[in-house]
Amino acid sequence: MADNRWELEVRSVKSARYAIAAATVLVIAHVTVAILLRVSPTGVYFRTADQLALAGIGVLLAAIALLLTRPRVRVGAEGVAVRNILSERLIEWDLVEGLSFPDGAMWARVDIPDDEFISVMAIQSNDRDHAVAAVRTFRSLEAKYARVSAEPHQSEQ
């Protein structure tokens, strides 16, 4: 479902791939072990409920791994919408002081007043060119929208 309010939408490419691969491995490993438990001579008798529970644990762990596919940042006239693993926040343009990518950082961050920041897990250093393009596009949209929202404040002073 396309949302026309946003001019930029970015998700991490490599982290999503790694998360999907890890989830797949977790499910396959747990289901395989659950199936083989019944027929292996371990000295312990595993019932169907035990097998289902082990497979269920694999599915649960895979779902947790897939949370790493959630991070997203969207930019538009309304502001910057940052969704990380468990939270989502809309930052209006009058609060955005910029996007920074400190040396050695895993992901970018949106700088807000009072030396605060919000991590942007969707723009990650391991995405390299994808991250560079996202930062450049973000900054061009910031130049477009941040000035518009800052002008009324300057005229009031």
Side-chain angles (χ1 to χ4, degrees):
M1 184 164 99
D3 194 349
N4 295 332
R5 299 179 306 165
W6 308 108
E7 294 180 44
L8 172 67
E9 182 169 331
V10 179
R11 294 173 183 261
S12 177
V13 176
K14 287 186 180 178
S15 290
R17 287 182 190 152
Y18 295 149
I20 291 168
T24 303
V25 167
L26 284 167
V27 169
I28 291 171
H30 281 80
V31 169
T32 302
V33 170
I35 292 169
L36 295 177
L37 279 179
R38 181 70 108 179
V39 295
S40 65
T42 60
V44 178
Y45 182 69
F46 288 95
R47 298 178 185 225
T48 305
D50 299 321
Q51 291 174 299
L52 292 174
L54 189 56
I57 289 171
V59 170
L60 179 64
L61 292 174
I64 291 170
L66 288 175
L67 285 175
L68 294 173
T69 63
R70 278 185 47 83
R72 172 186 73 194
V73 63
R74 297 190 295 186
V75 181
E78 293 179 40
V80 181
V82 177
R83 182 173 75 186
N84 287 323
I85 292 175
L86 297 175
S87 65
E88 185 165 6
R89 182 170 177 190
L90 176 65
I91 309 155
E92 295 176 354
W93 281 115
D94 57 345
L95 293 177
V96 175
E97 292 185 349
L99 181 74
S100 61
F101 216 126
D103 288 338
M106 291 288 295
W107 45 73
R109 62 190 197 184
V110 175
D111 297 319
I112 56 177
D114 299 326
D115 294 326
E116 299 279 335
F117 63 88
I118 297 172
S119 297
V120 181
M121 296 177 71
I123 304 175
Q124 297 193 5
S125 60
N126 67 356
D127 284 331
R128 303 189 187 274
D129 293 337
H130 179 69
V132 171
V135 169
R136 286 183 179 153
T137 306
F138 180 98
R139 288 184 176 153
S140 69
L141 291 171
E142 177 187 13
K144 177 181 176 181
Y145 291 118
R147 281 195 209 122
V148 172
S149 65
E151 285 175 4
H153 297 294
Q154 292 173 353
S155 64
E156 292 173 3
Q157 296 176 0

